[in-house]
Amino acid sequence: DLFKAVSELQPRGGGGAGGMTMQDKVKRQLDDILDKLPEQFSIMEIEERIDERTPYTSVFLQEVDRMSQLIYEMRRSLVELDKGLKGDLSMTERMEMLMNSIFDDKVPESWDNLAWPSLRALSSWLPDMLARYRQIADWTGDLATPKSTWISGLFNPQAFLTAVMQVTARKNEWPLDSLEIVVEVSKKMDPTEIDAPTRDGAYIHGLFAEGARWDINGNSLDDALMKELYPKLPVVLVKSAMSSSTKETKDVYKCPVYKTQSRGPTFVFTAGLRTKAPPSKWVLAGLALVMDVVEYQEAGAQVAYVAVGSVTTNLRLSARHS
């Protein structure tokens, strides 16, 4: 990315003329992150309050554990770097890498290894991390499955979908390996409109379309509007059904769902979306659903950020607006 390359060429020496040095800027950001960083979850305390361990409970416990590991590493590395900047510890290569990442607005490698796939800059990644933390914290309050789960905010969304199939398999005494995920797109854009959890499957939200949009009135896929690169999908009901009961139909497009705009290895599952046009139209349009969209505001317009090396995505965007 051109702008990232330019930022990396900035001088890292002294501030001069009363300006802030690199160390001063990093120290200010470091203090701000530590101030906002929440405490780790007490996994033992949470487990003691669980009466029945359902597949959904297991998923959220895994989320609690992974978020706690991430927060621990973030705090540990930041405190260590803070001591290095103060002169209490000798600066190591690992501490310098962390300092450079913070200065360049990049997610540090040791954090990224414990987190989720993301194309976000550090300044955008941190609020996203806190939002993910809040969803987990809300669950630890009453230990009840959310009315609608922000699936994009999970470390492992595949595990949540597997839980949907496990619940269905146990309820109907069906073999798990004979089930698949099916989706129904609702007419509700805001997850707060969901009054209660569904008895069959689970409501999810946080999906964006790339290459088309969802027409609520027509209850099907439709052409994307101008300047709307990633239109939001309404709340989606995900259920599980026997594979043989969901035959190939001409009015369903099997849409791949990815965690990030880079697609590739971030594939999660395939969602069957209703279409009035032939499915081949959406294949040619490169239609996919994305869980985490990164956009920047430039001159009043939304410009989608695409990771370096994502040549296919760049080509799709160019072709769509040519």
Side-chain angles (χ1 to χ4, degrees):
D1 185 85
L2 176 60
F3 297 106
K4 283 198 170 187
V6 171
S7 70
E8 291 174 3
L9 294 176
Q10 295 182 80
R12 301 171 185 270
M20 294 181 68
T21 65
M22 173 186 179
Q23 288 76 11
D24 292 335
K25 293 179 180 179
V26 170
K27 179 66 168 70
R28 185 175 62 180
Q29 291 174 276
L30 181 153
D31 290 340
D32 184 57
I33 297 172
L34 281 175
D35 184 57
K36 295 176 180 178
L37 196 62
E39 294 297 322
Q40 293 172 240
F41 293 104
S42 175
I43 299 178
M44 292 184 63
E45 183 271 331
I46 295 171
E47 289 184 327
E48 289 175 356
R49 293 192 289 114
I50 296 175
D51 295 325
E52 180 185 3
R53 187 154 180 160
T54 67
Y56 295 120
T57 305
S58 298
V59 170
F60 277 99
L61 282 176
Q62 292 171 14
E63 294 291 314
V64 166
D65 182 48
R66 293 190 63 173
M67 181 61 76
S68 292
Q69 290 183 45
L70 174 59
I71 292 173
Y72 171 82
E73 172 56 25
M74 290 176 68
R75 180 172 285 109
R76 182 207 64 76
S77 59
L78 288 171
V79 169
E80 181 183 59
L81 177 58
D82 188 38
K83 292 180 179 178
L85 293 174
K86 291 177 180 177
D88 296 336
L89 288 176
S90 298
M91 289 290 289
T92 63
E93 182 181 356
R94 184 171 60 180
M95 293 160 66
E96 288 189 0
M97 289 175 60
L98 175 60
M99 181 174 64
N100 290 332
S101 293
I102 294 175
F103 183 76
D104 292 332
D105 198 22
K106 294 181 178 179
V107 180
E109 184 178 354
S110 65
W111 303 0
D112 188 54
N113 291 337
L114 294 172
W116 46 88
S118 177
L119 301 179
R120 293 177 181 269
L122 181 60
S123 55
S124 173
W125 184 89
L126 287 167
D128 182 60
M129 185 276 287
L130 293 175
R132 292 166 182 263
Y133 177 92
R134 284 193 294 272
Q135 173 169 244
I136 301 173
D138 289 343
W139 174 80
T140 62
D142 56 12
L143 302 179
T145 304
K147 297 175 184 178
S148 178
T149 298
W150 177 35
I151 193 168
S152 312
L154 299 178
F155 282 85
N156 188 0
Q158 292 97 324
F160 184 84
L161 297 173
T162 299
V164 172
M165 293 193 292
Q166 289 175 331
V167 170
T168 302
R170 294 179 184 180
K171 179 180 178 181
N172 298 286
E173 297 184 351
W174 291 343
L176 183 62
D177 58 3
S178 298
L179 299 179
E180 68 178 7
I181 289 292
V182 294
V183 303
E184 295 178 10
V185 183
S186 75
K187 293 184 177 293
K188 298 179 179 180
M189 293 298 300
D190 191 338
T192 60
E193 296 179 46
I194 303 297
D195 299 323
T198 177
R199 294 184 179 181
D200 184 14
Y203 287 111
I204 62 171
H205 62 276
L207 299 177
F208 299 83
E210 181 184 15
R213 66 183 175 91
W214 184 261
D215 179 15
I216 292 182
N217 295 326
N219 192 33
S220 67
L221 291 168
D222 201 352
D223 292 324
L225 301 176
M226 289 294 292
K227 298 183 180 180
E228 194 175 24
L229 294 180
Y230 297 96
K232 185 178 179 181
L233 248 69
V235 174
V236 175
L237 172 61
V238 291
K239 300 190 295 184
S240 184
M242 295 291 287
S243 299
S244 59
S245 66
T246 54
K247 298 179 181 179
E248 290 272 354
T249 57
K250 295 181 179 179
D251 60 350
V252 173
Y253 168 63
K254 292 192 174 182
C255 184
V257 182
Y258 299 92
K259 294 179 182 178
T260 73
Q261 290 142 286
S262 63
R263 302 192 179 194
T266 68
F267 175 79
V268 180
F269 75 109
T270 300
L273 301 178
R274 190 169 180 270
T275 175
K276 295 177 182 177
S280 58
K281 173 180 179 177
W282 308 120
V283 174
L284 293 174
L287 171 58
L289 298 183
V290 182
M291 290 188 171
D292 188 32
V293 170
V294 183
E295 294 182 332
Y296 289 97
Q297 296 289 337
E298 288 187 3
Q302 286 191 330
V303 180
Y305 165 69
V306 182
V308 179
S310 185
V311 179
T312 55
T313 305
N314 279 313
L315 289 174
R316 278 194 298 271
L317 291 176
S318 300
R320 191 178 309 143
H321 299 289
S322 60

